[in-house]
Amino acid sequence: MATSWGAAFFMLVASCVCSTVFHRDQQTWFEGIFLSSMCPVNVSASILYGIMFDAGSTGTRIHVYTFVQKIPGQLPVLEGEIFDSVKPGLSAFVDQPKQGAETVQGLLEVAKDSIPRSHWKKTPVVLKATAGLRLLPEQKAQALLFEVQEIFKKSPFLVPNDSVSIMDGSYEGVLAWITVNFLTGQLHGHSQETVGTLDLGGASTQITFLPQLQKTLEQTPRDYLTSFEMFNSTYKLYTHSYLGFGLKAARLATLGALATEGIDAHTFRSACLPRYLEAEWIFGGVKYQYGGNQEGEVGFEPCYAEVLRVVQGKLHQPDEIHRSSFYAFSYYYDRAVDTDMIDYEKGGVLKVEDFERKAREVCDNLENYTSGSPFLCMDLSYITALLKDGFGFADNTILKKTWRMWTPTNTRQTKVSCHK
């Protein structure tokens, strides 16, 4: 989930350059993720570089950031970014860890071409894996990370001891929240009028916001709350990552593939797919055979019943989201663009019910609707169910696309302002 990595490195460099940014007498949000050894060797330099690998469930992405410190002692400014990616993700190499690490080696060449040789030794390189590796057995996930660490050690870049690890889902939510609220100016002053974030990845989904009501804090499970200090302010966030509720993991759950043994000899069928479709799909290194209901019902109503079983009663629904504003990232935006609900560059205004309307249009015309993905009906229906029946957003919740973070990457985002 690439939306948060720019913030991660920005906060890292900020802590190196300006020691007054964070209270160092207590643990901050990035303890255990970013170490002091990752700071550039010459923090007084006017130009700083950072290399961040986002190892997601569907691919591995590299972000090469350039920061400029225009005034000594003040926070550096993100000047630019180089982005590249490879597919599939590391989790697809669950039984070939060395082969998986080779995909990272290829992306390191992008960093070498993007950063002056004179800066290589003082440029930190980090890989944080997300839900794709969290879903793997620990021993196999660690084997993948070990091989990546070996690749990093052979590189000319600065490699801290904890440069390769699996990121906890709650950190993903926190990083995305910091990114949005810092870039929109919400964190520059003492005001805590912030916006929430919704991130829909391939294997997991996150929701994060800053509660304003004591009732929310009292009624929220303790492990959904996290506190940290930043810019001399304390923030107590509501944040939770739902592993297995990302868009692609939800496809498997909808198909019933997660509860079936002997998948090699089984074809998973759904009312969300074209009736005569017969295809195969690889996710997490596993091949699945799937197709439409050749004799049963197809269309929106039976499809929605399938995806509803995936989310109904499974997610916590904080009442306060009805009076909050949210930004939604990743597949929320992608599917809206894919179906021409919003323009990729200009954006547009949507409501949650618009996802349902488009889902009905696609699902009830499966044989006539052409798309690059046969899962489009299922994806739109799942997003609708996730927002409405999962998190509890109202039909008339407004979604407005605003801007894309960290141009020129393919990171995209949508603003969600909640109004009854």
Side-chain angles (χ1 to χ4, degrees):
M1 303 185 186
T3 56
S4 59
W5 304 123
F9 247 104
F10 180 86
M11 297 303 171
L12 162 65
V13 176
S15 66
C16 299
V17 175
C18 185
S19 61
T20 61
V21 173
F22 300 103
H23 291 296
R24 302 306 300 167
D25 59 347
Q26 64 179 38
Q27 189 175 37
T28 56
W29 63 271
F30 58 80
E31 291 292 344
I33 304 179
F34 301 116
L35 306 178
S36 59
S37 60
M38 291 171 55
C39 297
V41 174
N42 181 10
V43 296
S44 63
S46 60
I47 299 180
L48 311 169
Y49 296 93
I51 306 167
M52 176 66 78
F53 282 87
D54 169 12
S57 59
T58 59
T60 301
R61 306 112 190 169
I62 185 174
H63 303 260
V64 182
Y65 297 110
T66 302
F67 296 93
V68 175
Q69 186 184 11
K70 298 181 179 180
I71 301 176
Q74 291 193 4
L75 295 177
V77 176
L78 179 63
E79 187 74 11
E81 175 197 5
I82 301 296
F83 170 84
D84 205 346
S85 64
V86 294
K87 292 183 178 181
L90 284 178
S91 57
F93 301 93
V94 58
D95 294 318
Q96 299 93 27
K98 289 185 180 294
Q99 187 177 346
E102 289 174 2
T103 65
V104 173
Q105 175 68 65
L107 290 176
L108 274 176
E109 297 303 314
V110 175
K112 290 182 180 179
D113 292 339
S114 307
I115 300 172
R117 183 181 293 268
S118 59
H119 285 69
W120 284 358
K121 291 184 179 180
K122 55 188 177 184
T123 297
V125 57
V126 177
L127 180 142
K128 297 301 172 187
T130 55
L133 262 66
R134 289 202 296 270
L135 285 171
L136 297 181
E138 183 177 0
Q139 185 176 0
K140 293 190 174 185
Q142 291 303 320
L144 280 165
L145 297 183
F146 173 80
E147 294 299 336
V148 172
Q149 181 75 25
E150 292 300 299
I151 292 291
F152 278 6
K153 288 179 179 179
K154 297 176 183 177
S155 79
F157 301 110
L158 177 62
V159 184
N161 293 331
D162 194 30
S163 63
V164 180
S165 63
I166 298 175
M167 179 179 287
D168 181 85
S170 63
Y171 286 134
E172 288 189 70
V174 171
L175 289 175
W177 185 88
I178 290 173
T179 301
V180 172
N181 286 282
F182 185 85
L183 293 180
T184 56
Q186 305 297 326
L187 300 181
H188 295 296
H190 296 289
S191 172
Q192 291 200 343
E193 294 181 3
T194 58
V195 294
T197 56
L198 296 166
D199 197 346
L200 179 60
S204 66
T205 186
Q206 290 82 34
I207 178 173
T208 307
F209 68 94
L210 182 67
Q212 299 295 316
L213 302 178
Q214 183 62 31
K215 178 182 178 181
T216 301
L217 298 176
E218 294 173 351
Q219 296 180 350
T220 296
R222 178 169 296 184
D223 59 349
Y224 284 51
L225 300 174
T226 185
S227 296
F228 65 94
E229 294 217 357
M230 184 174 62
F231 301 128
N232 297 324
S233 295
T234 299
Y235 298 90
K236 191 166 189 176
L237 294 182
Y238 176 110
T239 183
H240 190 72
S241 178
Y242 292 93
L243 187 62
F245 287 83
L247 191 69
K248 295 191 175 182
R251 291 176 183 174
L252 296 181
T254 301
L255 289 168
L258 298 179
T260 304
E261 296 183 0
I263 61 173
D264 292 338
H266 191 91
T267 297
F268 300 96
R269 301 193 178 278
S270 170
C272 304
L273 300 170
R275 185 180 297 278
Y276 298 108
L277 174 70
E278 298 290 335
E280 65 179 31
W281 178 50
I282 298 176
F283 181 66
V286 180
K287 183 183 296 185
Y288 300 89
Q289 303 291 330
Y290 68 95
N293 281 352
Q294 296 179 343
E295 299 179 357
E297 290 184 299
V298 296
F300 177 76
E301 293 298 341
C303 175
Y304 199 79
E306 290 182 9
V307 299
L308 188 60
R309 288 193 290 268
V310 177
V311 300
Q312 194 167 44
K314 307 287 182 61
L315 283 70
H316 183 252
Q317 296 184 349
D319 291 336
E320 195 170 329
I321 63 172
H322 295 292
R323 60 191 300 270
S324 304
S325 295
F326 284 79
Y327 281 74
F329 314 122
S330 306
Y331 282 120
Y332 292 116
Y333 183 94
D334 292 343
R335 290 299 171 263
V337 170
D338 293 342
T339 53
D340 297 320
M341 287 194 285
I342 59 176
D343 181 82
Y344 175 72
E345 295 294 341
K346 296 179 181 179
V349 177
L350 293 173
K351 295 180 180 180
V352 170
E353 62 191 7
D354 290 326
F355 273 107
E356 180 175 344
R357 175 186 55 78
K358 181 59 68 171
R360 288 182 180 275
E361 176 186 321
V362 173
C363 295
D364 289 339
N365 295 277
L366 282 174
E367 305 307 323
N368 300 322
Y369 203 94
T370 58
S371 168
S373 173
F375 288 106
L376 191 59
C377 163
M378 184 182 292
D379 291 349
L380 290 169
S381 298
Y382 175 69
I383 288 174
T384 303
L386 179 65
L387 291 171
K388 291 178 53 177
D389 303 282
F391 292 125
F393 287 105
D395 281 338
N396 61 350
T397 298
I398 297 174
L399 295 83
K400 183 192 298 182
K401 185 247 183 181
T402 53
W403 38 264
R404 285 178 294 147
M405 253 186 298
W406 310 131
T407 303
T409 74
N410 65 349
T411 299
R412 309 162 185 173
Q413 62 186 32
T414 303
K415 183 178 181 182
V416 185
S417 300
C418 298
H419 304 284
K420 288 188 176 180

